[in-house]
Amino acid sequence: MAQPRQLRHDAPVSATPPSSAPLIDRYQRHVSYLRLSVTDRCDLRCTYCMPERMTFLPKAEVLTLDELYQMSLGFMARGIRKIRLTGGEPLVRRDMIDLVRSLGRHIGEELDELTMTTNGMQLAAYAQDLASAGIRRINVSLDTLDRDRFAKLARRDGLPQVLEGIAAAKAAGLAVKLNTVALKGVNEDEIGALMRWAHGEGHEMTLIEVMPLGEVDGDRTDHYLPLTAVQDGLSAQFSLTPNGHRTGGPARYFDVAETGGRLGMITPLTNNFCDGCNRVRVTATGQLYPCLGGSERVDIRAALRSDDPDTQLEQALNEAMRIKPERHHFRIDEAGEEPAQPRHMSMTGG
Ligand code: SAM
Ligand code: SF4
């Protein structure tokens, strides 16, 4: 059997010891959560996320596994305590599990938690490895339980594979949270049933409003469904009680009496959640976006590939704190208008 690859733990280093100053922005928000996109590639083509003929990045532009690891060490030195690996689809990147193992060694030390957001397609093969590396919770995206609908929405006939992946994650002891994008005229009639199924299986579920990120085939406005409407619809069938649970993120949570489960709602367009923002995102090419809904960015790859990566990385992180905007400026794109941000969610990660 092939030996797992060791990522370099000791290089590259400069004469300057890395700063351990916490990441605090101009609005006194303490950043402790990194969302790291490890690839822009994917084995699905969800219609709201990317066009069928998506142009992917040349490999040379994408950070190597060593660079991803070195960068993560730099973030941890500055007080990042939670890392979520995402994409694109993180599990389509070859050797991804080596990075998970290397980062997993920091859980309980610098890291409180290492997690992943996946579409579930490759999960059956990797669930046990993820659990063994120290991952305890994962998010799996699932918008429908109807096979034909899934095939239309993801442009691939993948539902049985995803369900197999979710079952494997559960069997490996991973807590699974389902992420569901609420889409008018696509899955709005199914959200109650999907939630009942998720809670019955012991999974949490979080609903997401579609966001105007990147060009897709067709118009997202047609399918934008405000979660206020979903909540009204669900309230006719279920008793939803607001729950004070906060994660520092945009979700609001409800307890559902009939299922005994928890439902999250992420409402970037109908509710502002920026006051307590504790996160930054890095794309697969090493561009740090301090806000998912803004165009401000810092080039971490240039820092990592410079002659003095430690100092440059430190300066880049300081710059990110200086430019992190007070709040996002999302609004659903008017029909025919450009999306609010030209980059796709698969670039910045979900
Ligand atoms: N491929 C993985 C997956 O699908 O879970 C990880 C990356 S994906 C970009 C992360 C999350 O973003 C998914 O839950 C997906 O449904 C969501 N997403 C993608 N494009 C979106 C958009 N334009 N608006 C809202 N959510 C989006
Ligand atoms: Fe791929 Fe995730 Fe985007 Fe779907 S949402 S196309 S699975 S990156």
Side-chain angles (χ1 to χ4, degrees), residues 40-50 87-89 118-119 121 141 143 154 345-346:
D40 65 325
R41 287 164 198 258
C42 190
D43 45 3
L44 296 179
R45 292 288 182 283
C46 304
T47 48
Y48 52 78
C49 179
M50 57 174 80
E89 173 48 40
T118 170
N119 63 22
M121 290 286 282
S141 303
D143 301 326
M345 189 75 145
S346 56

Side-chain angles (χ1 to χ4, degrees), residues 15 30 64 66 83 90 100 129 132 145 187 196 223 252 272 297:
H30 189 148
T64 65
D66 282 319
I83 298 180
V100 174
D129 287 340
S132 303
L145 284 172
N187 64 359
R196 215 182 268 286
H223 300 298
R252 291 175 298 131
N272 202 270
R297 76 181 161 100

